[in-house]
Every structure is written in C-alpha cells, then in structure tokens.
C-alpha cells in the first residue's frame, strides 16, 4: 500500500467493503453526508466496529475496519486537499472525477 507523505499512517482509518472495495473514513462520511449511502446498522462491540449501509442502488454494504498493514499492495491512499481517498491501482481510471465538492 502506498500512502501520500502528508497522510499520517497511524491516523488513517481504512474500511473493507463486502463488495471487495476499500474506503477511507473520509469517503464513507462523504457518501453518507451527500445521501449516496444511508446508515442501516452499526455494531461496535463485540469485535470490530462494523457498519451496514444501503447504497443508492438499494444494495446492502458491510464496512469493516482493516489495519493499514493488512491491505493489499495494489491499494493506494491519496490525499487531495482535505480528502483522503483509497484508490485501487488495478482498475482503469474512471471518467468520473475522484473527488467532487
């Protein structure tokens, strides 16, 4: 995993989605704030702090925290302004901008 130099690794919260994708806490908060995802359930104990959200398509997505040391080598974390993004470097770049205000 590559991390931008100005992103402190110890402050980085990464989540693994049940869809096989990875998200930063910033990406999760943003999608919830703009209504792209809706909160369904949160389990704090016992075990990891897991979250269940509903996507715009009506699918359920489980988000589970993952230690930065355990993420795949193809995952890159990029800092763009205030945004911290988890980027799958195996995928082709999308036509949609990575960060939309």
């Amino acid at each position: 995993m590559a991390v931008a130099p100005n992103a402190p690794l110890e402050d980085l919260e990464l989540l693994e989605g049940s869809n096989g994708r990875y998200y930063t806490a910033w990406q999760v908060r943003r999608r919830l704030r703009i209504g792209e995802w809706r909160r369904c359930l949160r389990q704090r104990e016992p075990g990891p702090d897991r979250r269940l959200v509903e996507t715009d398509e009506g699918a359920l997505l489980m988000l589970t925290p993952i230690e930065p040391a355990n993420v795949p080598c193809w995952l890159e974390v990029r800092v763009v302004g205030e945004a911290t993004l988890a980027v799958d470097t195996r995928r082709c770049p999308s036509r949609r901008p990575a960060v939309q205000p």
Side-chain angles (χ1 to χ4, degrees):
M1 176 183 72
V3 180
N6 58 345
L9 194 55
E10 63 274 1
D11 295 340
L12 189 59
E13 184 183 357
L14 289 171
L15 298 117
E16 181 177 15
S18 56
N19 59 358
R21 294 185 178 182
Y22 293 84
Y23 305 90
T24 63
W26 183 91
Q27 289 173 302
V28 172
R29 283 190 307 271
R30 181 178 176 279
R31 289 180 179 189
L32 289 168
R33 186 179 66 245
I34 66 173
E36 191 173 315
W37 290 351
R38 287 165 294 291
R39 289 181 176 94
C40 293
L41 187 64
R42 185 170 187 179
Q43 176 188 358
R44 294 180 189 206
E45 292 181 14
D49 182 11
R50 296 185 293 182
R51 304 165 197 180
L52 185 66
V53 296
E54 180 184 6
T55 66
D56 273 350
E57 295 83 31
L60 292 176
L61 177 63
M62 177 68 71
L63 300 166
T64 307
I66 185 168
E67 291 296 320
N70 296 333
V71 300
C73 61
W74 43 259
L75 185 73
E76 210 173 88
V77 175
R78 298 182 186 162
V79 177
V80 180
E82 297 294 316
T84 306
L85 309 169
V87 178
D88 183 343
T89 59
R90 301 173 304 167
R91 297 178 185 264
C92 297
S94 70
R95 294 172 189 235
R96 187 174 119 188
V99 178
Q100 297 172 346

